[in-house]
């Protein structure tokens, strides 16, 4: 027995030595050469464009590589060769990662093929393909399923450039024992960043009264509060007209891959002409619950226009029912993670507002060195138990377009990340083939239809994986519960400084905009003390309340979307804040002063007309104030007027001048509590009198007296004898 063991060891050593000696030179890429060549490169020379994700006994292997001359000199014609090690089996995650990062020396003696590469000018790129048929010697020499080292070497001008990736062989056609497939749940959020705010729609909303929709008695304000704001012409926030139809390529992907679990923003579904079928709902507008909980002030968000009833699970279901036109429809709700971690406060808020499960990033996952397990935690909060569905870190990062490491250069392209995804998932199954697990893979908000299709096709082609749904994942035996789960909960939200600063500034700006609208309602609109029909204004107090509520709902709609967890468009939250400020500006400027002409005084007193315009469909009651910058020319200070709906009202100010000169009158509008609003007007006043009225009379009287005295003296003076 000992003799046979020694012989076996010697045979293995001899086999490895022969492999090292006999291996073609291009199968090795000297690390010193690679470092020297890449040290001066600003772009990657080799990039994986296409690759067969799962290799079977009949598939063969297809690969496309894009080669770019990153040098300042022309490269002569070269050759790209592709090799694998058909006998090698990765033994650890570290082993795989070091191969991907070119940090270990695994031989690759089995050649799949090679192809000539033309000469390349500086900056020029070319794409070459290698196609190995199913009967290729390197492929048929693979005896075990799983990931194998794949090495592409580009030889040119006495230099070799390598690219390391993985070829994953399935068990099809191999004499290998079949093991249970590992469960995997592929989740993609469905939302949109193509929301827009129309200045014309906001202006029309302020200038026009509320009308019923299609004779059904429902007003547009009612529609806004019930979720219809995405579908009517008076909507504050609408989808871009090019995106109201669900993307056809994405629709095809969802139809083709029924195992893909789509968690949708119900406000997006409600704005589509024909919403797709989805697996579950997230919170409306993907509202960031983690940031809300980290702020810790419900009142601050309420002041900004975000009420809890706008983003809870009930609101999500209501929006969904409106979207599909079925008031009895039911569907699960899952809260999506925002910019912060799911702290205990955040989980409590989610559970309190009706969500029994949340999607989490890898906050709850054990360290990367542990064996992967089902990523679910059942956490007990003050509001009840909540299930935290934790994404698997490496697989989710790859699906979201991130390489496992900056040094893993093959993963800079989607084809390279897909190859690593398939290889990594196969390794996870091989790691513990008989342990039941269900891994969550999160595509994130930025995945497009092509990415979803590629990864889902790879999962469905991998016999070691079994795609499941959210219900199966939620029902799986959790990784932790009770005290163990609470120990996994992050203590801090860890929201970035920039995100925290934006949230604070957004709350301040939105609170100011909402405060202006409420101020307009309470202190500028004419008080309506009755609920009866107003003949003068052809309206009722109910109409008045519905109109202002529509404006407040519009502000709330923009405020809710300003705090979205959807990070696919960083400019969207700012656009929503700007839209809310724009709306409040339109409201406050709907009562405005019309430009006044200059006033010229030809006497000690005069009047100055001032006209106030009302663009809204309801009367306003305001105070007009006036003051001059001169002590010689003064105006009366204030007058209160009522301006009818869609009309103008003129009032006058008394002017008095003590002497000739000029002045500027500053005219402003004030609400009923004396706070100014709107744009101030300035009117020039000129006084051209040399003297005042009373002085003139005195001078005239003195002239008459002097004239009479002169005449009397003329007739009564004694003549000189010499005359």
């Amino acid at each position: 027995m000992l003799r046979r063991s020694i012989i076996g060891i010697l045979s293995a050593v001899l086999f490895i030595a022969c492999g090292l000696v006999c291996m073609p030179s291009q199968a090795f890429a000297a690390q010193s050469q690679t470092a020297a060549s890449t040290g001066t490169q600003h772009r990657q020379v080799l990039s994986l464009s296409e690759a067969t994700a799962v290799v079977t006994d009949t598939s063969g292997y297809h690969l496309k590589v894009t080669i770019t001359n990153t040098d300042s000199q022309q490269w002569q014609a070269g050759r790209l060769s592709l090799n694998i090690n058909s006998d090698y089996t990765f033994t650890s995650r570290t082993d795989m990662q070091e191969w991907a990062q070119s940090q270990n020396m695994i031989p690759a003696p089995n050649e799949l093929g090679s192809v000539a590469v033309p000469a390349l000018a500086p900056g020029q790129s070319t794409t070459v393909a290698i196609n190995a048929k199913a009967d290729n010697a390197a492929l048929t020499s693979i005896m075990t399923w799983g990931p194998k080292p794949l090495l592409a070497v580009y030889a040119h001008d006495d230099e070799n450039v390598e690219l390391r990736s993985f070829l994953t062989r399935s068990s099809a056609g191999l004499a290998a024992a079949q093991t249970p497939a590992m469960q995997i749940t592929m989740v993609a959020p469905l939302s949109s960043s193509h929301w827009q705010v129309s200045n014309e729609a906001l202006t029309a909303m302020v200038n026009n009264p509320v009308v019923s929709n299609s004779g059904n008695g429902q007003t547009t304000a009612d529609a806004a509060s019930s979720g219809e704001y995405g579908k009517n012409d008076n909507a504050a926030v609408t989808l871009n007209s090019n995106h109201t139809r669900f993307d056809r390529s994405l629709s095809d992907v969802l139809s083709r891959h029924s195992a893909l679990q789509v968690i949708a923003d119900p406000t997006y579904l409600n704005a589509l002409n024909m919403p797709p079928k989805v697996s579950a709902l997230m919170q409306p507008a993907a509202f960031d619950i983690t940031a809300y909980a980290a702020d810790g002030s419900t009142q601050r968000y309420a002041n900004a226009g975000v009420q809890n009833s706008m983003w809870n699970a009930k609101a999500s279901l209501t929006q969904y029912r409106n979207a599909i036109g079925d008031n009895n429809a039911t569907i699960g709700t899952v809260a999506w993670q925002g910019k912060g971690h799911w702290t205990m406060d955040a989980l409590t808020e989610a559970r309190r507002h009706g969500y029994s499960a949340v999607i989490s990033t890898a906050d709850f996952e054990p360290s990367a060195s542990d064996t992967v397990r089902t990523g679910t935690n059942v956490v007990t909060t003050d509001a009840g138990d909540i299930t935290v569905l934790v994404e698997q870190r490496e697989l989710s990062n790859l699906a979201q377009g991130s390489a496992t490491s900056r040094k893993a250069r093959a993963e800079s392209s989607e084809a390279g990340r897909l190859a690593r995804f398939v290889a990594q998932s196969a390794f996870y199954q091989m790691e513990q083939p008989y342990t039941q697990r269900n891994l969550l893979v999160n595509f994130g908000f930025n995945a497009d239809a092509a990415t979803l299709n590629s990864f889902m096709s790879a999962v469905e082609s991998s016999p070691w994986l079994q795609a499941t749904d959210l219900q199966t994942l939620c029902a799986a035996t959790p990784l932790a519960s009770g005290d163990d789960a609470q120990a996994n909960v992050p203590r801090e939200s860890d929201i970035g400084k920039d995100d925290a600063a934006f949230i604070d500034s957004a709350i301040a700006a939105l609170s100011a905009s909402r405060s202006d609208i409420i101020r307009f309602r309470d202190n500028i609109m004419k008080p309506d003390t009755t609920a009866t029909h107003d003949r003068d204004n052809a309206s009722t107090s109910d109409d008045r309340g519905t109109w202002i509520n529509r404006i407040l709902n519009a502000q709330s709609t923009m405020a809710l979307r300003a705090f979205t967890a959807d990070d696919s468009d960083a400019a969207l939250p700012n656009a929503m804040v700007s839209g809310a400020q724009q709306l409040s500006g339109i409201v406050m400027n709907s009562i405005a002063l019309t430009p006044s002409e200059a006033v010229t005084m030809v006497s000690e007193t005069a009047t100055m007309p001032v006209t106030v315009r009302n663009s809204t469909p309801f009367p306003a009651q305001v105070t007009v104030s006036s003051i001059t910058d001169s002590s010689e020319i003064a105006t009366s200070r204030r007058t209160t007027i009522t301006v009818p709906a869609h009309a103008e009202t003129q009032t006058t100010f008394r002017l008095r001048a003590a002497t000739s000169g000029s002045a500027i009158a500053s005219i402003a509008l004030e609400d009923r509590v004396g706070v100014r609003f709107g744009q101030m007007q300035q009117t020039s006043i000129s006084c051209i009198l040399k003297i005042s009225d009373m002085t003139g009379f005195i001078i005239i009287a003195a002239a008459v007296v002097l004239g009479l005295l002169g005449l009397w003296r003329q007739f009564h003076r004694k003549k000189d004898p010499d005359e």
Side-chain angles (χ1 to χ4, degrees):
M1 179 67 69
L2 178 60
R3 181 180 179 184
R4 280 189 292 177
S5 299
I6 294 174
I7 292 174
I9 294 172
L10 292 175
S11 299
V13 172
L14 181 61
F15 173 79
I16 294 174
C18 291
L20 293 174
V21 172
C22 300
M23 185 175 55
S25 60
Q26 66 267 28
F28 275 116
Q31 291 182 335
S32 60
Q33 288 182 325
T34 302
S37 63
T38 59
T40 58
Q41 292 171 355
H42 301 286
R43 295 164 58 194
Q44 191 164 306
V45 176
L46 301 180
S47 177
L48 200 59
S49 301
E50 292 181 17
T52 302
V54 180
V55 178
T56 68
D57 55 340
T58 59
S59 67
Y61 187 77
H62 168 77
L63 177 133
K64 279 187 178 180
V65 174
T66 298
I67 304 173
T68 303
N69 182 347
T70 60
D71 204 348
S72 59
Q73 303 294 325
Q74 176 162 323
W75 289 349
Q76 300 302 316
R79 194 163 193 83
L80 179 75
S81 61
L82 188 63
N83 291 67
I84 63 170
N85 188 324
S86 59
D87 295 322
Y88 191 83
T89 299
F90 290 102
T91 57
S92 67
R93 299 188 199 182
T94 302
D95 195 18
M96 291 186 70
Q97 193 63 35
E98 288 180 349
W99 170 257
Q101 297 177 177
S102 301
Q103 292 176 337
N104 57 10
M105 296 295 292
I106 301 174
N110 309 106
E111 183 173 339
L112 288 171
S114 64
V115 63
V117 180
L120 296 175
Q124 183 181 1
S125 297
T126 187
T127 300
V128 296
I130 294 178
N131 294 290
K133 296 182 179 180
D135 59 356
N136 179 277
L139 294 179
T140 57
S141 66
I142 299 176
M143 294 291 104
T144 57
W145 78 275
K148 305 296 179 183
L150 177 74
L151 177 66
V153 179
Y154 169 45
H156 72 95
D157 299 294
D158 298 325
E159 182 180 1
N160 291 338
V161 181
E162 72 170 25
L163 187 69
R164 295 188 179 193
S165 186
F166 300 88
L167 179 151
T168 304
R169 177 68 160 88
S170 76
S171 59
L174 298 178
Q178 297 296 318
T179 57
M182 181 177 65
Q183 292 183 329
I184 190 169
T185 304
M186 309 292 288
V187 171
L190 181 61
S191 184
S192 176
S193 61
H194 300 288
W195 299 97
Q196 61 183 6
V197 177
S198 168
N199 181 65
E200 290 76 11
L202 297 182
T203 302
M205 183 180 297
V206 173
N207 293 348
N208 299 325
V210 178
V211 295
S212 297
N213 285 336
S214 306
N216 62 4
Q218 184 188 36
T219 65
T220 53
D222 296 332
S225 62
S226 65
E228 290 287 344
Y229 61 81
K231 290 186 176 179
N232 63 75
D233 294 336
N234 292 315
V237 181
T238 59
L239 279 177
N240 183 290
S241 58
N242 295 327
H243 296 275
T244 54
R245 292 177 61 88
F246 189 57
D247 183 76
R248 178 173 296 180
S249 59
L250 190 54
S251 178
D252 291 342
V253 169
L254 300 187
S255 300
R256 190 180 304 120
H257 304 290
S258 58
L260 178 61
Q261 301 297 288
V262 178
I263 302 179
D265 168 11
T267 64
Y268 174 54
L269 298 180
N270 201 19
L272 291 172
N273 294 334
M274 186 174 294
K277 183 179 180 181
V278 298
S279 308
L281 304 176
M282 66 176 68
Q283 58 271 36
F287 176 71
D288 193 341
I289 301 176
T290 60
Y292 171 82
D295 185 80
S297 175
T298 301
Q299 190 58 48
R300 283 225 307 160
Y301 273 80
N303 292 342
V306 179
Q307 305 292 334
N308 294 343
S309 59
M310 298 173 63
W311 55 267
N312 60 22
K314 182 179 179 181
S316 186
L317 182 59
T318 300
Q319 294 266 1
Y320 175 71
R321 288 173 173 173
N322 289 334
I324 65 174
D326 183 357
N327 292 330
N328 297 316
T330 59
I331 191 172
T333 53
V334 180
W336 202 269
Q337 183 167 347
K339 297 178 176 64
H341 297 325
W342 282 116
T343 62
M344 184 59 72
D345 288 340
L347 291 174
T348 302
E349 290 294 341
R351 187 67 188 91
R352 180 177 292 126
H353 290 89
Y355 298 97
S356 58
V358 302
I359 295 288
S360 172
T361 55
D363 308 332
F364 288 78
E365 191 181 63
S367 62
S369 60
D370 292 343
T371 302
V372 294
R373 289 173 285 181
T374 300
T376 60
N377 287 248
V378 177
V379 180
T380 300
T381 72
D382 292 341
D385 289 350
I386 189 168
T387 301
V388 183
L389 307 176
V390 186
E391 68 180 21
Q392 203 285 320
R393 181 183 288 107
E394 285 77 18
L395 298 182
S396 293
N397 285 342
L398 290 166
Q400 292 172 22
S402 298
T404 57
S405 166
R406 293 180 61 184
K407 296 180 180 179
R409 293 186 296 115
E411 297 168 23
S412 63
S413 68
E414 182 166 304
R417 290 189 293 272
L418 180 59
R420 178 63 187 273
F421 178 93
V422 172
Q424 197 74 32
S425 66
F427 176 80
Y428 288 154
Q429 200 282 339
M430 297 171 68
E431 205 175 23
Q432 285 189 324
Y434 295 100
T435 301
Q436 187 173 4
R437 294 162 291 172
N438 194 330
L439 306 186
L440 172 64
V441 176
N442 172 17
F443 281 101
F445 285 102
N446 295 308
D448 57 19
T451 298
L452 295 174
N453 183 59
S454 298
F455 278 79
M456 288 305 301
S457 297
V459 168
E460 292 162 358
S461 301
S462 303
W464 61 89
L465 295 177
Q466 177 191 357
T468 66
D469 56 23
L470 282 168
Q471 289 75 18
T472 302
L473 177 61
C474 290
T477 302
L479 172 65
S481 59
D483 293 340
D484 292 337
Q486 291 198 8
N488 290 335
V489 177
R491 298 294 182 264
E492 301 292 337
S493 63
D494 286 340
I495 295 177
K497 290 183 179 180
D498 291 342
D499 290 330
F502 169 78
I503 291 170
D504 285 338
S505 64
I507 288 177
L510 291 167
S511 298
S513 69
R514 191 169 187 83
S515 177
D516 282 344
I517 298 171
I518 294 174
R519 175 187 168 200
F520 184 90
R521 178 195 66 189
D522 296 341
N523 298 327
I524 296 176
M525 293 181 70
K526 181 183 177 182
D528 191 0
T529 58
T530 66
T532 58
H533 190 73
D534 185 346
R535 295 180 180 179
D536 294 334
N537 299 293
S539 64
T540 67
S541 59
D542 288 341
D543 295 335
R544 187 189 309 261
T546 302
W547 174 78
I548 197 67
N549 285 340
R550 177 179 65 179
I551 296 174
L552 288 170
N553 286 338
Q555 190 275 343
S556 291
T557 298
M558 289 180 275
L560 181 69
R561 199 162 292 284
F563 300 111
T564 181
D566 184 349
D567 58 357
S568 58
D569 184 0
L572 180 62
N574 284 311
M576 293 298 107
V577 173
S578 297
Q581 292 175 315
Q582 187 178 1
L583 175 60
S584 64
I586 294 173
V587 170
M588 297 303 292
N589 290 324
S590 63
I591 311 298
L593 296 164
T594 60
S596 300
E597 296 181 355
V599 176
T600 301
M601 298 179 64
V602 294
S603 64
E604 185 183 45
T605 60
T607 59
M608 178 177 64
V610 174
T611 302
V612 181
R613 170 182 50 83
N614 179 4
S615 300
T616 73
F618 298 97
Q621 188 178 72
V622 297
T623 296
V624 186
S625 67
S626 175
I627 189 171
T628 66
D629 60 354
S630 171
S631 59
E632 305 297 334
I633 301 176
T635 72
S636 54
R637 294 301 302 273
R638 285 179 173 81
T639 181
T640 299
I641 62 172
T642 297
V643 189
H646 294 151
E648 294 181 347
T649 295
Q650 189 176 84
T651 186
T652 58
F653 285 87
R654 295 187 305 276
L655 302 179
R656 179 173 294 276
T659 184
S660 61
S662 62
I664 299 295
S666 297
I667 306 167
L669 294 175
E670 297 177 356
D671 60 22
R672 287 192 294 277
V673 295
V675 180
R676 288 184 177 181
F677 69 93
Q679 294 292 326
M680 181 180 292
Q681 292 282 353
Q682 291 188 330
T683 300
S684 298
I685 303 174
S686 300
C687 181
I688 61 174
L689 285 181
K690 300 298 182 182
I691 53 177
S692 66
D693 293 347
M694 186 58 66
T695 303
F697 288 130
I698 294 173
I699 292 174
I700 292 172
V704 171
V705 171
L706 291 174
L708 293 174
L709 181 61
L711 289 174
W712 181 86
R713 182 176 178 276
Q714 184 67 26
F715 288 108
H716 293 83
R717 73 182 180 87
K718 293 181 179 181
K719 294 184 178 180
D720 190 85
D722 296 333
E723 288 183 314

